[in-house]
Amino acid sequence: EMLTPRRRYLILAALVLATTLYTTTILVVSVILPDMQGSLSAAPDQIAWVMTFNIVATAVATPMTGWLNATFGRRNVMLLSMTGFTLATMMCGLVYSLGPLVLFRIIQGLAGAPLVPLAQAVILDVFPLNERSRATAIFGIGVVIGPVIGPPLGGYVAELYDWHASFLVLVPMGVLAVLALWVYLPDGGRERHVRLDWTGFLTLVVAMI
């Protein structure tokens, strides 16, 4: 499929938005843990699960990205990942007990893990060689800025409202990212006879847990 320059940069904008939101949520809880601990009546080691299990889920799911892409296609995987991530983020802002919050943080990490590596693959695929360095640099800004703005954004919103709002404020942007990916992202990436090393994957899961 031939893509116009405008379409390429609209795809890039959608990818930057999606990955920035994902990287933002990794550290958004770092400054609101005390608020969450008091609200949920959790011990210090218990409230740490909210961040720890999200990172573990991301580490576990990331190696599956190549297999998911080859099996289902990058468009389907990106849309499903961004949709699942947005729904999990919304649910994180709606729950009022520790168990469901940790569960939805795990789902958030699992769903969002393919976004960054797949976005990089899409950029290399849709941009011609002479434009890849510029596109990769623009994309890199989004990946880097997410963890930078996450803590101050979470703290500021929590100060104005409460910690639930620190998650809910990201949901509209997540919906916008899903719509942008659905409209502009072309399909591709499928490969036959690509298998996942389930033994190695399950070993990794056990080691991470």
Side-chain angles (χ1 to χ4, degrees):
E1 181 180 358
M2 293 298 294
L3 301 176
T4 63
R6 177 177 177 272
R7 174 87 176 269
R8 292 194 192 103
Y9 280 96
L10 287 171
I11 293 170
L12 178 61
L15 296 174
V16 169
L17 177 59
T19 52
T20 300
L21 286 171
Y22 169 66
T23 55
T24 298
T25 59
I26 295 176
L27 293 179
V28 73
V29 301
S30 60
V31 295
I32 59 175
L33 282 178
D35 294 340
M36 298 168 76
Q37 181 181 346
S39 173
L40 301 172
S41 300
D45 58 332
Q46 291 176 322
I47 202 63
W49 297 346
V50 176
M51 179 174 288
T52 303
F53 278 98
N54 177 265
I55 296 172
V56 170
T58 299
V60 166
T62 299
M64 295 186 68
T65 302
W67 175 75
L68 291 170
N69 181 45
T71 305
F72 302 105
R74 67 186 178 207
R75 176 181 168 85
N76 292 332
V77 176
M78 287 288 287
L79 284 172
L80 185 61
S81 293
M82 195 63 213
T83 302
F85 167 80
T86 302
L87 290 174
T89 301
M90 181 181 69
M91 293 307 300
C92 285
L94 295 177
V95 297
Y96 284 85
S97 58
L98 181 62
L101 177 60
V102 173
L103 173 62
F104 287 117
R105 282 286 287 174
I106 292 172
I107 296 173
Q108 198 181 50
L110 292 174
L115 290 173
V116 173
L118 263 187
Q120 292 175 305
V122 170
I123 289 171
L124 294 178
D125 193 33
V126 303
F127 280 89
L129 187 61
N130 63 328
E131 294 183 31
R132 286 178 184 172
S133 58
R134 180 192 306 164
T136 303
I138 295 172
F139 172 75
I141 294 173
V143 174
V144 172
I145 203 173
V148 174
I149 66 174
L153 174 65
Y156 178 72
V157 174
E159 189 72 20
L160 287 179
Y161 302 101
D162 61 9
W163 65 266
H164 298 88
S166 299
F167 291 107
L168 296 176
V169 72
L170 302 174
V171 174
M173 291 295 100
V175 173
L176 178 61
V178 171
L179 292 175
L181 292 172
W182 182 68
V183 172
Y184 298 115
L185 187 65
D187 200 6
R190 286 187 177 88
E191 298 179 30
R192 293 183 176 181
H193 310 302
V194 174
R195 296 181 178 180
L196 180 66
D197 180 4
W198 286 101
T199 302
F201 174 70
L202 293 175
T203 303
L204 172 66
V205 172
V206 172
M208 292 298 298
I209 295 175

